[in-house]
Amino acid sequence: MARGGPDEAALKVLVDAARRGDVHAPEDLVRMTWASTYTLAFRLTGNEEDALDVTQETYLRAFRGLPRFRGEARFSTWLYRVTANCASSHLSRSWRSRHDQLDLDQIDEASVRDGRPEHDPEACASAGDERVMLARALLELPWRLRQVVVLRDVYDLSHKSIAAELAISEAAAKVRLQRARKLLREDLGRHLHALERQDLRRRTRLGPRGRQEDGTGDVAGPVVDMDDDAVAS
């Protein structure tokens, strides 16, 4: 792996050993790949606790699937895919759990509403919702496009390093990255439009007085800053 990442030759030796039943090989694989796996998990989830859960789930899923690993891609690249899938699943579960709880809490919303923004569950959850949307959008990309986003925006590799990592030309790496970012913007735009419509319906239900009390007034819907150099942040 470029920029001081795991030695692919050494990883291949350990993968082969693990598939033969060497009981020490999995531990060595974790030791060699933990830093990069945790880094990706943290960037996708945004906090240490979730990142640790995702990292643990990644290794459990990876070792269960190791017999099916055919070696067509580098092990580190395959592990990125497993990590991204685990992060998406974890964030989706957290999102559903949080919103199920919000629905229960809002049974008598008019009587318990706290108008202070810092005490608004929807406002507090918005950053997490946006992270969920980004993780989902990333996971919906074709893998050949997703991996260039991960390598560029999570691991900060140059176009030249990405090309070397994926055994493609530098021009192809640039084209894939541009295509991936375009698809991410389009996907996130659709999700944000849906959120804005949902927010409009909620504000309509509240009425003018309710909007004044909860501080929404004429505030616009949520926006995600899609900086070209930070799509996966």
Side-chain angles (χ1 to χ4, degrees):
M1 177 69 188
R3 295 198 181 185
D7 182 329
E8 290 294 337
L11 288 178
K12 186 178 185 304
V13 171
L14 289 172
V15 168
D16 291 341
R19 296 180 69 178
R20 291 194 305 267
D22 186 328
V23 295
H24 300 294
E27 181 180 347
D28 291 336
L29 280 171
V30 171
R31 177 178 53 79
M32 289 188 65
T33 59
W34 174 270
S36 58
T37 300
Y38 175 80
T39 296
L40 176 57
F42 183 83
R43 294 296 296 272
L44 289 174
T45 62
N47 68 80
E48 293 182 6
E49 183 177 355
D50 286 342
L52 287 171
D53 288 343
V54 167
T55 301
Q56 182 179 18
E57 184 179 352
T58 293
Y59 285 113
L60 290 173
R61 190 178 299 184
F63 290 135
R64 285 199 301 266
L66 202 57
R68 298 188 299 275
F69 175 64
R70 294 173 294 180
E72 295 175 354
R74 297 186 179 193
F75 178 76
S76 59
T77 304
W78 179 74
L79 194 61
Y80 300 157
R81 183 187 306 180
V82 177
T83 307
N85 286 335
C86 288
S88 178
S89 298
H90 183 86
L91 287 170
S92 294
R93 289 193 299 269
S94 298
W95 186 86
R96 287 195 300 269
S97 174
R98 180 174 64 247
H99 281 264
D100 287 345
Q101 185 62 44
L102 284 175
D103 288 340
L104 291 173
D105 291 343
Q106 291 168 357
I107 291 175
D108 191 13
E109 181 181 16
S111 64
V112 299
R113 186 185 298 119
D114 185 337
R116 290 170 291 179
E118 65 272 20
H119 290 175
D120 180 359
E122 293 183 358
C124 293
S126 62
D129 292 346
E130 291 170 0
R131 189 176 296 115
V132 170
M133 285 191 298
L134 183 55
R136 286 177 173 174
L138 184 64
L139 265 288
E140 288 172 5
L141 288 176
W143 175 241
R144 70 187 188 92
L145 299 182
R146 190 194 319 160
Q147 62 187 160
V148 298
V149 173
V150 170
L151 293 174
R152 177 69 184 96
D153 295 320
V154 176
Y155 290 92
D156 196 30
L157 298 190
S158 66
H159 293 115
K160 183 177 181 179
S161 296
I162 293 172
E165 179 72 21
L166 302 179
I168 59 177
S169 69
E170 189 171 347
K174 291 179 180 179
V175 169
R176 289 188 188 184
L177 187 60
Q178 291 172 354
R179 175 63 175 161
R181 285 173 170 166
K182 180 176 183 292
L183 291 176
L184 281 174
R185 288 191 183 95
E186 292 173 351
D187 195 357
L188 287 172
R190 287 192 294 270
H191 285 299
L192 290 172
H193 180 65
L195 281 179
E196 288 170 355
R197 293 178 61 184
Q198 179 180 347
D199 183 61
L200 179 60
R201 289 194 297 269
R202 183 182 68 85
R203 293 169 64 202
T204 301
R205 289 197 306 270
L206 289 175
R209 181 176 179 179
R211 291 196 297 272
Q212 290 177 357
E213 290 177 354
D214 77 354
T216 57
D218 294 322
V219 177
V223 175
V224 172
D225 181 10
M226 282 295 295
D227 188 309
D228 271 355
D229 289 327
V231 252
S233 297

